[in-house]
Amino acid sequence: MTLEVTGLTVDIGERRVVDGVSFDVPDGARVGLIGESGSGKSLTALAVLGLLPDDAVAGGSVRWNGRELIGMPDRELATIRGAEIGIVFQEPRTALNPIRTIGRQIGESVRIHEGLSRTQARARAVAEASRVALPDPERIVARYPHQLSGGQRQRAAIAMALACRPRLLIADEPTTALDVTIQAEILELLLSLVEDDGMSLVFITHDLAVLSQIATHGVVLEAGRVVETAPVSTLLSAPASLVTQGLLRDATATLWRPGGAAASRGSGAEPQKDPAAASRGSGAEPQKDPAAASRGSGAEPQKDPAQNGGAA
């Protein structure tokens, strides 16, 4: 199933906060939306699922498996959310209901979309908790969010998003609120789940170093517009836009633990090669002509999974 976003706009009042964003996510592809805070990447994700704030108006086109989602009634969209497209938010505390057990929340989507009984849903919740490597699944599903650690809450949120085996997962900065060790574990978990199920992935982040660990193609946003679209290896080795160059500088300022987990400069960890060098050393051939640089550059957009990346 393919996600096709074409000329997406989001207006809040008289201000256009997403302006002509276009990209494709073919079946099984892993595409990243990356940009600094306020670039419009999270609003883009919310627009896909019809979850924008009440005062926001979406325009353009978002097609999922040939069906137009923009303007679709919320009742119809609700049959797609969770069942076909799952989403994981940045802060699990806000995504989880504090007065409901973890198991009940994981099992809710399968009760709604698959019509399972309460007993069947609990058994499914235990299985999903085990799948995301939550400890002692039988007991942990009876706990409440405040009784779990931050990393455990995010694993529970991932289990909720994937319980119905959606074909596309949108992950909106799912590791930002976690420390670097837990961040690496969550990234590894997401990658293994996506690969095992053959799902497509839209991963949203402000960190090019993180993106390099999980996505193959990147769409760079600034002020609500796409400024560059290219394979991640190209973004690391030959960034075309000033925004991407700044993101690369930030990424290469980060030291890396063996195994890929980011570390602070004062950690004493042995640094690995920077992300760009790692890309060059991986055997991937850097492309000499990055796709769709900044607006007005005249560059021809590249025909990759995140094609149509130029701003409108």
Side-chain angles (χ1 to χ4, degrees):
M1 293 186 176
T2 300
L3 177 71
E4 301 169 292
V5 179
T6 307
L8 177 67
T9 61
V10 176
D11 296 317
I12 298 179
E14 297 183 358
R15 188 164 62 101
R16 177 151 291 184
V17 291
V18 175
D19 188 5
V21 168
S22 300
F23 62 91
D24 292 344
V25 185
D27 194 25
R30 302 196 308 274
V31 175
L33 300 183
I34 184 168
E36 298 174 348
S37 179
S39 62
K41 53 190 185 297
S42 291
L43 284 172
T44 297
L46 292 175
V48 168
L49 282 174
L51 295 174
L52 287 168
D54 291 339
D55 58 347
V57 178
S61 174
V62 175
R63 298 185 70 82
W64 168 245
N65 200 30
R67 300 170 66 189
E68 180 59 61
L69 302 186
I70 297 293
M72 180 179 285
D74 191 69
R75 188 167 184 173
E76 193 173 346
L77 267 173
T79 65
I80 295 175
R81 298 186 200 119
E84 298 180 28
I85 304 176
I87 186 166
V88 178
F89 295 101
Q90 176 177 336
E91 177 47 71
R93 274 188 183 275
T94 60
L96 296 171
N97 188 327
I99 61 172
R100 300 180 68 186
T101 65
I102 293 299
R104 188 175 175 189
Q105 294 184 68
I106 294 174
E108 182 177 20
S109 63
V110 294
R111 292 199 72 190
I112 292 172
H113 295 292
E114 299 180 19
L116 300 189
S117 68
R118 189 181 298 272
T119 300
Q120 291 171 324
R122 188 188 185 283
R124 181 75 159 267
V126 171
E128 295 302 318
S130 176
R131 184 174 176 234
V132 298
L134 280 168
D136 198 357
E138 287 279 356
R139 292 187 178 182
I140 207 165
V141 296
R143 296 178 184 170
Y144 293 87
H146 72 274
Q147 297 175 305
L148 275 61
S149 68
Q152 289 173 342
R153 284 192 293 269
Q154 194 59 287
R155 289 176 186 271
I158 293 169
M160 287 171 55
L162 300 183
C164 288
R165 301 297 192 271
R167 300 311 308 152
L168 170 66
L169 176 66
I170 299 174
D172 187 2
E173 303 225 37
T175 62
T176 300
L178 306 174
D179 66 53
V180 292
T181 303
I182 304 302
Q183 181 183 89
E185 292 176 359
I186 295 298
L187 285 173
E188 184 178 357
L189 172 66
L190 279 173
L191 186 58
S192 65
L193 291 172
V194 167
E195 290 181 338
D196 288 348
D197 280 3
M199 284 184 293
S200 306
L201 174 69
V202 174
F203 191 92
I204 299 167
T205 182
H206 64 278
D207 191 336
L208 188 55
V210 170
L211 191 68
S212 69
Q213 298 179 69
I214 197 163
T216 59
H217 292 76
V219 180
V220 184
L221 286 86
E222 180 187 30
R225 296 173 176 170
V226 174
V227 295
E228 186 169 0
T229 302
V232 171
S233 59
T234 300
L235 298 180
L236 292 170
S237 60
S241 71
L242 292 176
V243 175
T244 313
Q245 291 167 16
L247 293 169
L248 181 59
R249 282 193 299 271
D250 292 342
T252 53
T254 304
L255 293 179
W256 295 76
R257 296 183 191 277
S264 66
R265 286 194 176 276
S267 69
E270 181 181 348
Q272 290 186 333
K273 294 179 179 179
D274 64 64
S279 172
R280 291 192 295 271
S282 68
E285 188 68 20
Q287 300 191 17
K288 302 300 183 183
D289 184 20
S294 58
R295 293 186 75 208
S297 66
E300 191 67 19
Q302 208 171 339
K303 302 299 183 183
D304 56 42
Q307 63 186 7
N308 304 326

